Amino acid sequence: MLLAGNDEQRFQRTRVEHIAMNSPYEPPPPPPPGPPTHVQPAQSPYPPVTQGTSGKATASMVLGICSIAVCPIIPGVLAIIFGIMAKREIDENPGMEGRGQAQAGVILGIVGLALWTIAIIAYIAIIIVAVSATDDYSYGDDYNYDSYSYMLPQLFST
């Protein structure tokens, strides 16, 4: 049986009244009003939500490590670029973390490029010294390159 809106409300109210009147228990009295208190807003036990670590900062640090360990040029330059971009991004978004990673990536990129540049210069210097050292020895015209070279004319002169 469907009841209209007012009839249904009246039916529910009379049912509750019927249950309350036939109940052997008295409802408890309302609590006395307490003194007015000023309630402080609850402090969260958790730190404030951050936006997370910058992906560019992490990429900068990883590329900086690769520039020292693997190959210098491409990862070193990319580490410097991503590190600078990450620091700008972190400055624009105060909740974002990773400034230390970005700084580490820039420093590792610079160090990697510098170490490999020094290594290449040292390698070139060693080659130049080695080549110039062989040019300092001049062999005279009378020097025999082969101990048997003086015998060759005798062998074929028959």
Side-chain angles (χ1 to χ4, degrees):
M1 169 171 108
L2 295 173
L3 300 174
N6 288 338
D7 291 339
E8 186 175 331
Q9 289 173 357
R10 190 171 44 118
F11 175 74
Q12 289 293 332
R13 188 182 67 228
T14 57
R15 183 170 173 231
V16 169
E17 288 173 355
H18 176 71
I19 292 171
M21 287 182 2
N22 291 334
S23 173
Y25 303 105
E26 292 279 328
T37 60
H38 178 68
V39 178
Q40 292 284 340
Q43 295 289 331
S44 173
Y46 303 107
V49 177
T50 61
Q51 295 177 357
T53 303
S54 170
K56 292 176 187 166
T58 304
S60 172
M61 188 174 68
V62 169
L63 288 168
I65 292 169
C66 287
S67 74
I68 291 176
V70 180
C71 63
I73 298 171
I74 295 172
V77 172
L78 289 176
I80 295 168
I81 292 171
F82 277 123
I84 292 170
M85 289 171 55
K87 287 198 282 187
R88 286 185 187 154
E89 181 182 27
I90 292 167
D91 289 341
E92 292 172 0
N93 301 322
M96 188 170 282
E97 297 176 346
R99 186 166 186 80
Q101 287 182 346
Q103 186 68 31
V106 171
I107 291 171
L108 288 172
I110 291 170
V111 168
L113 285 174
L115 288 176
W116 281 92
T117 302
I118 291 169
I120 290 171
I121 290 172
Y123 183 72
I124 291 172
I126 289 171
I127 290 175
I128 290 173
V129 168
V131 168
S132 66
T134 57
D135 289 342
D136 288 343
Y137 298 110
S138 61
Y139 305 110
D141 291 337
D142 60 342
Y143 181 76
N144 292 326
Y145 292 99
D146 191 4
S147 61
Y148 298 107
S149 63
Y150 68 92
M151 297 176 67
L152 287 177
Q154 295 172 359
L155 291 173
F156 294 111
S157 67
T158 21

